[in-house]
Amino acid sequence: PAEEQALRDKWMGQQLSKPISPLWTWGAAALLGMGGILLLWNVQLRTQVGKRTRELEGALAALQAAHTATEQARTELDATIQAIPDTLFEFDAEGRYLSVRAGQASPQYRQERVHALGKRLHDVLPPAAADTVMEAIAEALKHGTDAGRHISVDTTEGLKHFDLACTRKGGPGSKTVLI
């Protein structure tokens, strides 16, 4: 065997490194296996994230389209309301001015009406007129609409007469009225 080893060393050369331990081989295989599993998991996560991102982008596009349609409807409604020559008032059940749409009224008239915001009818109108409007509000809240009532108000331009037409804003249970 020594002669045999000498011949091998002479013709085959000496071994440059020691043989790799099976422990290292199994360890490397385990690391490669875990790396493969992590790679597959990463690919699966990327696929799921991509799918969810596309779903969210679709939902966002639908939301933006709905927002655009709502803004367009609001613009059209505002234009329609501005074309109405009468002033529209929004009141709560206690007769508090919530909003005023003066339409085609003069700027001074609009300013006077906007000044009433947040105030109650009895703070702005004479008692008899305020009582009549409160009755109209109560009927509109109860039945959905009320019409045919009249009030007269003494203004800087003289005595003005107003016809009241009220409607409940929203469905039953709503607490606001347009006049």
Side-chain angles (χ1 to χ4, degrees), residues 107-178:
Q108 178 185 359
Y109 184 73
R110 285 186 195 170
Q111 183 65 25
E112 292 172 5
R113 296 299 172 234
V114 170
H115 186 63
L117 288 176
K119 295 182 181 175
R120 297 176 66 139
L121 280 164
H122 286 88
D123 298 333
V124 177
L125 295 177
D131 289 342
T132 301
V133 175
M134 286 301 296
E135 290 169 8
I137 290 172
E139 286 299 309
L141 287 173
K142 185 176 180 182
H143 300 291
T145 62
D146 184 71
R149 298 176 195 265
H150 309 279
I151 61 170
S152 298
V153 179
D154 196 13
T155 68
T156 56
E157 299 171 3
L159 189 64
K160 295 259 184 182
H161 304 282
F162 298 93
D163 296 326
L164 303 179
C166 304
T167 187
R168 178 177 56 222
K169 186 177 177 183
S174 176
K175 298 291 185 208
T176 59
V177 173
L178 289 175

Side-chain angles (χ1 to χ4, degrees), residues 52-69:
R52 185 68 178 138
T53 300
R54 287 187 296 280
E55 289 173 1
L56 289 174
E57 287 171 346
L60 181 60
L63 181 62
Q64 288 172 335
H67 178 72
T68 300

